[in-house]
Amino acid sequence: SLPLSLSLRWVAVLTGFRCISEDNNGLCSISDHDTQLPGHQEVNQELTKDSVYFRDGVRRIDFVLSYVDDKDGDRKQERRREFEANLEKEGLELEREDKSESDDCKTYFVKIHAPWEVLSKYAAVLKIKVPFKVSDIPKAREAPLHWVTRPFRLPERIMQPDPDYFTSAFDCSKTDFFLIRDTHTLFPPSTRNRIVYYILARCEYYKEDRPERDKRGIKRLLSNGTYTAAFPLHDCRYWKAARESQCESERYHLYRHWARFLCFYKEQPLNRIRKYYGEKIGIYFAWLGFYTEMLFFAAVMGVICFLYGLLSYEGNVTSKEICEQGGDIVMCPLCDKKCSFWKLNSTCLSSWQSHLFDNEGTVFFAIFMGIWVTLFLEFWKRRQARLEYEWDLVDFEEEQQQLQIRPEFEIMCTHYRTNRITQEKEPYLPIETKLPRFCLSGATVLFWISLIVACIMGVIAYRLAAYAAFAKIMKNSNASKIQLVGSLITPQLATSATASLINFILILILNLLYEHVAIWITDMEIPKTHLEYENKLTMKMFMFQFVNYYSSCFYVAFFKGRFVGHPGNYSYMFGQWSRLRNEECDPGGCLIELTTQLVIVMAGKQVVGNIQEALLPLIRNWWGSRKARKHPEKVYSRWEQDHDLVSFSQFGLFYEYLEMVIQFGFITLFVASFPLAPLLALVNNVLEVRVDAWKFTTQFRRPVAAKARNIGVWHEILNVMAILSVVTNAFIMAFTSDMIPRLVYLYSSANHSMEGYINNSLSVYRIAQLPPASTPDPEEDPPWYNSSLITTCRYRDFRYPPGHEREYLHTMQFWHILAARLAFIIIMEHVVFVVKFLVAWLIPDVPSEVRARIKRERHLTQEYLHAYDMTQITLQLSKSTHTPTHSHSHTHTHADNSIATETSTLLPPDTPQRSQDHLLSD
């Protein structure tokens, strides 16, 4: 063996290779000087447990499993033994850490490494794209005013961590076609953990002699407690770079340039996010950032609209009449028995507040938001198309989701049928199995939506009952004497604020309950693919959240004050026996109440959401790692650090999208009542981007990378909400706002002035005609009320006065106003919809530059693949015609030269040199 060892050493010296290890016989293993193995430690460098490599410092940890001993240890140990044995049969390499090495002395860790053979096999199965040539397509030129955005940019090395390549789906038989400089670094860690998780999700844990279909996959092992956690590792600590020179330290760079709040004004390093977390998370942050940028323009217009209302404050004739002349106007009671007569000037302050949001500028803003929504969706399509090209998602067709069939579907399906296209057997659910499940699912959704409606009805009943109680309590209270805010405390405000808070608490409780129900019924339907599962769960959750969050706003906007009746003939919620009289709007309209409802629900949701997202994970991680923080890095291992973090659930990204889409509904469906809503959303989203980045980088375990070419079904939901928002805002401006009656009065009055509008908008009722059930109790009468002097009261409606031949019937002015409202809705909807469709038609979904680049890349890819195939065919022909006789050597040399010349003419000028070298050497 000694001569052989010396020979190997001489070969290593002469060829530029080096000996990296020796066995017991003195034989050495040879490695290339230029190929530095990832994680290789120098001799003098001390190894620590804060590493992403096996104990040998060479093999990278791609995934980690953890478990603990418990009372059911024997059964679980048997499952783990079979599962890990099957993983090793698949080619994965495992390394175990005993519980004595862990911080709590209870947890075992199994580290998993995927060697090149496994990675290449499953890269072909998953059609993972691999570079084969550096892109020669020039980058797009910068905008003329690019220097304006320079303060908001990040360094180029952070924004573009890798050069741009031409890529093609990996093929094990064409490894020399791809740019493989090092098999250890060809696939980034995100791709490696995706491949390993694909294997883990499908690996069996039953014995070969006892096959059981349902004993498969890491999800089932996690649910039955066999393993406590399964996760890929972060590459380093977030506050400092990794020790290993070959470790990318992406987490450190992301925290430094993205996750810190001081970077709130900087652009997001989307390419680095995609590289570290995968395309699915990358596309979410791209959408969130784009949505936040577009909110800036909506917020500016909303502030302008609000400032217009503020600057026109003094010219508000309607509010002046309420404040100056309202002391002489006696209003009819707002509830039976416990509510007394009141004077109009008590609503002086609320009328001024209503003018801030209910003015002529609000109409313009409502139309602007209808167009803004279209621009947002159309420009996002263009941005999404650009990301699809840059991230190699153009050819990621939906049929590739077939590769991601849920293991649960494969387990539950006992029927198979032949696929008409592939002619292969595939599992399926027969209609007799699907139908009962879908019926039960639909009935469950309807039941919970009905439960929400019942809760809203309960809140409405509270509003009706609480108003009388607040009116009685506040009549003799000292609350009105409090400085600054005393005049704001009225029965109307107290009722509206407390009802909104109760409604918000009900929303949170119902959300908590329905989340589990939605997941349960979606699991019961057994969706086939992960994409189908996500879409079904999304639709169920959104339908529920839509009713839960928006129903109270719909009530105030479109139902409150609409079915009141008039004095002497009031309408009641559950009939006259309930004594719950339907609510009336203030003389200034219901818009200010809708604003109050919107602010409380929207702002409350954002505050509670940020606390849940930021504070709770921080507390959990602090408590979970309280002991380990005392240990140095050499003891506190990388896998233990990540194990102590909060697990990122499979629905984590779903809830992030849901939160933003619900917010999108608030700023579009009801924005006419509160022009400052986009500003609140903008401030929240600037914080949301950094909070989410901070969570992903510091508080969550590293998620398993996943591919996605778009935001999925959320885009369709946004489209529906955009169309619905035009209708809701038109109805708010026509019926909830008091703008149309004011305009009708303005243009129909003799002097075209708003003077006298309040008196015109209030009808008269004779107090003596009030039925006993509606007449206030004598002890409720205010001191100024004298029944002998005050014989009539006023109420908000357009009806004929007492003594008229059409007493208490609607006047012609009421019908004119109703016609004007309907005409406004029709005109506004048609104008906005025409502009929306025109804008959508003018703006192409894919930029022309991106379309040209896609065609160019496809053309070049086909050329290079054709050239490679021709090279291989030529090589095979040359081998088949090769003869060993000396007499034909001269002829063979000429043939080889002609073949090489012919092949070189077929190859494009930039064909990789190694392919030409293969040909010439043969």
Side-chain angles (χ1 to χ4, degrees):
S1 62
L2 183 61
L4 178 59
S5 175
L6 291 175
S7 301
L8 286 173
R9 292 181 184 276
W10 276 109
V11 170
V13 171
L14 292 175
T15 59
F17 286 72
R18 58 185 173 87
C19 179
I20 63 171
S21 63
E22 294 188 8
D23 59 12
N24 295 332
N25 295 324
L27 296 178
C28 71
S29 300
I30 298 176
S31 176
D32 190 351
H33 276 304
D34 298 329
T35 306
Q36 179 71 28
L37 293 177
H40 178 74
Q41 306 293 326
E42 297 297 333
V43 176
N44 296 327
Q45 184 174 348
E46 187 178 6
L47 291 173
T48 71
K49 294 181 72 176
D50 187 20
S51 171
V52 295
Y53 295 97
F54 276 14
R55 296 188 191 99
D56 57 13
V58 176
R59 291 173 294 172
R60 184 171 188 129
I61 302 171
D62 297 313
F63 227 87
V64 174
L65 308 178
S66 67
Y67 62 91
V68 294
D69 289 330
D70 55 20
K71 59 182 179 181
D72 193 21
D74 293 338
R75 293 179 59 190
K76 293 179 180 178
Q77 186 176 359
E78 179 67 23
R79 293 175 194 150
R80 286 191 291 266
R81 184 163 46 248
E82 294 297 331
F83 185 70
E84 291 170 15
N86 288 331
L87 290 180
E88 290 178 331
K89 288 180 182 178
E90 287 288 335
L92 297 177
E93 299 174 3
L94 309 183
E95 186 176 80
R96 296 166 179 85
E97 294 284 338
D98 190 71
K99 66 179 180 180
S100 60
E101 300 292 328
S102 64
D103 177 68
D104 58 3
C105 296
K106 298 178 181 178
T107 307
Y108 297 86
F109 292 96
V110 180
K111 298 174 287 184
I112 302 176
H113 168 75
W116 166 251
E117 293 77 12
V118 175
L119 293 174
S120 59
K121 172 185 174 182
Y122 282 95
V125 171
L126 296 174
K127 293 182 171 55
I128 292 173
K129 290 193 172 184
V130 176
F132 65 87
K133 182 182 182 298
V134 177
S135 175
D136 59 358
I137 299 178
K139 294 184 177 180
R141 292 177 295 178
E142 293 184 335
L145 298 177
H146 66 277
W147 55 271
V148 177
T149 60
R150 190 170 297 164
F152 308 102
R153 294 183 179 179
L154 289 172
E156 185 66 19
R157 61 182 179 84
I158 300 299
M159 293 299 297
Q160 299 290 343
D162 296 317
D164 192 16
Y165 292 101
F166 291 142
T167 60
S168 180
F170 187 77
D171 189 342
C172 297
S173 63
K174 299 179 179 179
T175 53
D176 56 335
F177 172 72
F178 300 100
L179 291 177
I180 306 178
R181 297 187 177 91
D182 186 352
T183 57
H184 295 86
T185 59
L186 174 64
F187 300 107
S190 59
T191 304
R192 296 174 68 100
N193 72 57
R194 179 182 163 214
I195 291 174
V196 173
Y197 185 75
Y198 182 85
I199 299 172
L200 292 174
R202 287 158 176 79
C203 185
E204 301 89 357
Y205 56 91
Y206 54 77
K207 292 184 178 180
E208 293 183 0
D209 57 342
R210 290 184 300 171
E212 299 176 59
R213 291 178 52 81
D214 60 337
K215 291 189 174 183
R216 179 185 300 177
I218 189 64
K219 284 186 179 180
R220 192 172 179 87
L221 291 173
L222 290 171
S223 64
N224 61 30
T226 304
Y227 290 101
T228 56
F231 54 93
L233 289 181
H234 284 293
D235 59 2
C236 65
R237 297 192 173 198
Y238 66 85
W239 63 85
K240 65 179 180 180
R243 289 172 174 266
E244 296 93 345
S245 59
Q246 295 298 323
C247 191
E248 300 85 356
S249 298
E250 296 286 354
R251 186 189 188 191
Y252 166 73
H253 292 299
L254 286 172
Y255 175 75
R256 184 178 178 186
H257 298 282
W258 178 51
R260 295 189 301 171
F261 184 73
L262 293 178
C263 302
F264 73 93
Y265 64 95
K266 294 285 189 179
E267 61 183 336
Q268 298 186 84
L270 295 177
N271 289 322
R272 197 171 285 269
I273 296 170
R274 171 246 182 172
K275 179 182 178 183
Y276 191 69
Y277 291 112
E279 288 80 2
K280 193 169 187 177
I281 292 177
I283 205 79
Y284 162 73
F285 279 103
W287 177 82
L288 179 58
F290 183 80
Y291 172 45
T292 304
E293 292 171 8
M294 292 294 292
L295 273 177
F296 173 78
F297 303 101
V300 169
M301 294 304 301
V303 171
I304 292 174
C305 179
F306 177 77
L307 290 176
Y308 173 80
L310 199 62
L311 294 175
S312 61
Y313 199 72
E314 295 298 329
N316 183 14
V317 178
T318 303
S319 297
K320 285 183 179 180
E321 288 187 352
I322 291 176
C323 297
E324 296 173 1
Q325 304 172 17
D328 300 326
I329 300 176
V330 178
M331 303 296 293
C332 296
L334 294 175
C335 65
D336 294 342
K337 291 293 185 180
K338 299 302 180 183
C339 297
S340 181
F341 300 97
W342 53 286
K343 291 188 177 181
L344 182 60
N345 62 352
S346 62
T347 61
C348 174
L349 187 59
S350 64
S351 68
W352 286 109
Q353 295 170 346
S354 180
H355 175 73
L356 295 176
F357 306 107
D358 188 7
N359 53 67
E360 294 78 6
T362 310
V363 181
F364 168 77
F365 184 65
I367 295 174
F368 169 81
M369 286 302 295
I371 300 172
W372 174 87
V373 171
T374 304
L375 291 173
F376 164 64
L377 294 175
E378 292 301 319
F379 283 127
W380 166 246
K381 289 180 186 177
R382 294 170 62 84
R383 176 72 174 130
Q384 187 173 260
R386 191 176 296 276
L387 287 176
E388 287 180 13
Y389 167 72
E390 294 175 356
W391 291 358
D392 270 337
L393 298 171
V394 175
D395 297 324
F396 182 70
E397 302 295 343
E398 297 303 329
E399 52 260 27
Q400 289 192 26
Q401 296 295 332
Q402 186 70 21
L403 297 172
Q404 302 178 20
I405 292 179
R406 298 173 65 242
E408 296 85 348
F409 181 83
E410 296 176 337
I411 292 171
M412 295 295 294
C413 290
T414 58
H415 296 79
Y416 286 81
R417 65 182 177 187
T418 303
N419 187 300
R420 295 181 180 179
I421 299 174
T422 62
Q423 294 299 311
E424 295 178 356
K425 292 289 185 180
E426 63 177 10
Y428 83 103
L429 278 180
I431 188 66
E432 58 270 17
T433 305
K434 283 184 179 181
L435 190 59
R437 294 174 181 270
F438 287 155
C439 291
L440 180 59
S441 173
T444 306
V445 172
L446 289 177
F447 168 77
W448 278 89
I449 291 178
S450 302
L451 183 62
I452 299 173
V453 174
C455 290
I456 297 303
M457 297 293 287
V459 173
I460 295 172
Y462 164 82
R463 296 172 70 107
L464 302 178
Y467 182 83
F470 280 121
K472 184 176 181 179
I473 293 171
M474 293 182 177
K475 184 179 65 172
N476 299 318
S477 69
N478 296 322
S480 60
K481 300 178 182 179
I482 301 175
Q483 293 185 356
L484 298 178
V485 298
S487 58
L488 297 175
I489 304 176
T490 61
Q492 292 94 334
L493 178 63
T495 302
S496 180
T498 55
S500 298
L501 288 174
I502 292 173
N503 180 66
F504 181 65
I505 293 172
L506 285 174
I507 286 172
L508 296 180
I509 295 173
L510 290 172
N511 276 349
L512 185 63
L513 296 174
Y514 185 75
E515 285 178 7
H516 301 288
V517 175
I519 293 172
W520 174 72
I521 58 179
T522 307
D523 289 338
M524 183 186 62
E525 293 177 6
I526 318 178
K528 184 175 183 179
T529 65
H530 293 287
L531 179 65
E532 186 181 352
Y533 183 90
E534 290 180 3
N535 290 346
K536 288 187 175 184
L537 181 63
T538 298
M539 293 306 299
K540 291 180 180 65
M541 283 296 296
F542 177 74
M543 287 170 58
F544 175 82
Q545 297 274 17
F546 185 91
V547 178
N548 202 15
Y549 277 105
Y550 302 142
S551 55
S552 59
C553 293
F554 272 100
Y555 164 73
V556 175
F558 306 122
F559 295 97
K560 183 178 178 181
R562 302 289 172 268
F563 312 101
V564 177
H566 62 85
N569 187 26
Y570 285 117
S571 300
Y572 293 84
M573 184 176 180
F574 300 112
Q576 193 167 0
W577 63 270
S578 67
R579 312 310 304 164
L580 295 176
R581 207 171 86 190
N582 290 344
E583 286 185 282
E584 296 184 42
C585 293
D586 285 339
C590 277
L591 197 69
I592 190 64
E593 292 192 45
L594 178 59
T595 303
T596 304
Q597 180 80 17
L598 190 64
V599 169
I600 290 177
V601 177
M602 180 180 176
K605 182 183 182 302
Q606 292 181 170
V607 171
V608 172
N610 285 326
I611 291 175
Q612 287 179 336
E613 291 184 14
L615 196 57
L616 293 182
L618 185 63
I619 294 174
R620 288 177 60 185
N621 289 337
W622 175 83
W623 181 257
S625 61
R626 62 191 184 281
K627 295 180 180 179
R629 287 193 298 273
K630 302 176 183 178
H631 299 321
E633 295 179 13
K634 298 177 184 178
V635 180
Y636 195 24
S637 63
R638 163 63 30 216
W639 44 93
E640 285 185 276
Q641 294 175 38
D642 286 9
H643 183 264
D644 290 338
L645 298 178
V646 177
S647 175
F648 183 78
S649 70
Q650 59 174 327
F651 305 114
L653 208 58
F654 166 80
Y655 291 121
E656 301 294 344
Y657 273 118
L658 183 61
E659 178 187 2
M660 289 295 103
V661 171
I662 293 297
Q663 182 205 82
F664 180 82
F666 279 124
I667 68 165
T668 54
L669 296 176
F670 308 102
V671 73
S673 66
F674 188 46
L676 294 181
L679 180 62
L680 286 182
L682 175 63
V683 174
N684 174 79
N685 286 13
V686 170
L687 181 64
E688 180 78 19
V689 172
R690 304 304 160 179
V691 168
D692 286 351
W694 175 78
K695 283 190 313 181
F696 275 90
T697 309
T698 68
Q699 303 301 307
F700 284 159
R701 295 174 189 163
R702 185 173 182 174
V704 179
K707 273 188 174 290
R709 64 180 300 178
N710 49 46
I711 62 175
V713 72
W714 294 110
H715 193 274
E716 300 304 319
I717 291 175
L718 293 175
N719 269 323
V720 172
M721 295 182 73
I723 295 173
L724 183 61
S725 67
V726 178
V727 179
T728 56
N729 284 302
F731 272 86
I732 287 173
M733 295 307 303
F735 287 95
T736 311
S737 168
D738 208 34
M739 182 198 66
I740 299 298
R742 291 200 300 265
L743 290 178
V744 171
Y745 178 82
L746 177 65
Y747 290 107
S748 62
S749 61
N751 55 356
H752 296 290
S753 170
M754 289 302 298
E755 294 181 2
Y757 169 73
I758 291 298
N759 184 63
N760 175 264
S761 63
L762 298 175
S763 299
V764 180
Y765 188 81
R766 185 179 292 117
I767 296 177
Q769 294 178 319
L770 276 175
S774 301
T775 304
D777 293 335
E779 62 270 16
E780 303 294 339
D781 291 338
W784 50 263
Y785 177 74
N786 188 332
S787 59
S788 60
L789 297 177
I790 302 175
T791 58
T792 60
C793 63
R794 310 295 292 272
Y795 60 98
R796 192 171 184 263
D797 207 342
F798 296 93
R799 293 180 182 271
Y800 290 107
H804 194 278
E805 60 180 2
R806 304 189 65 190
E807 183 179 72
Y808 304 136
L809 295 177
H810 285 301
T811 64
M812 286 303 299
Q813 187 177 2
F814 170 84
W815 300 108
H816 292 162
I817 292 173
L818 179 61
R821 282 172 167 164
L822 296 176
F824 174 82
I825 291 173
I826 295 172
I827 293 172
M828 179 178 171
E829 286 183 355
H830 280 70
V831 168
V832 175
F833 279 132
V834 167
V835 174
K836 280 170 63 70
F837 290 129
L838 184 63
V839 168
W841 178 71
L842 290 175
I843 301 176
D845 293 346
V846 182
S848 57
E849 172 204 354
V850 173
R851 191 181 293 110
R853 285 170 175 266
I854 292 173
K855 291 180 179 179
R856 167 69 175 163
E857 183 165 336
R858 284 176 176 171
H859 172 71
L860 290 178
T861 301
Q862 291 176 355
E863 277 195 353
Y864 278 89
L865 283 172
H866 174 71
Y868 175 82
D869 291 338
M870 290 299 297
T871 302
Q872 298 301 311
I873 293 172
T874 306
L875 289 174
Q876 293 176 5
L877 290 174
S878 65
K879 289 179 181 179
S880 63
T881 56
H882 182 272
T883 55
T885 57
H886 179 74
S887 59
H888 295 288
S889 61
H890 183 71
T891 307
H892 175 67
T893 301
H894 281 290
D896 284 350
N897 291 336
S898 62
I899 290 173
T901 305
E902 180 183 358
T903 304
S904 63
T905 59
L906 291 171
L907 295 172
D910 293 333
T911 298
Q913 183 62 37
R914 60 181 179 279
S915 298
Q916 300 184 23
D917 292 343
H918 279 306
L919 172 63
L920 295 177
S921 62
D922 284 341

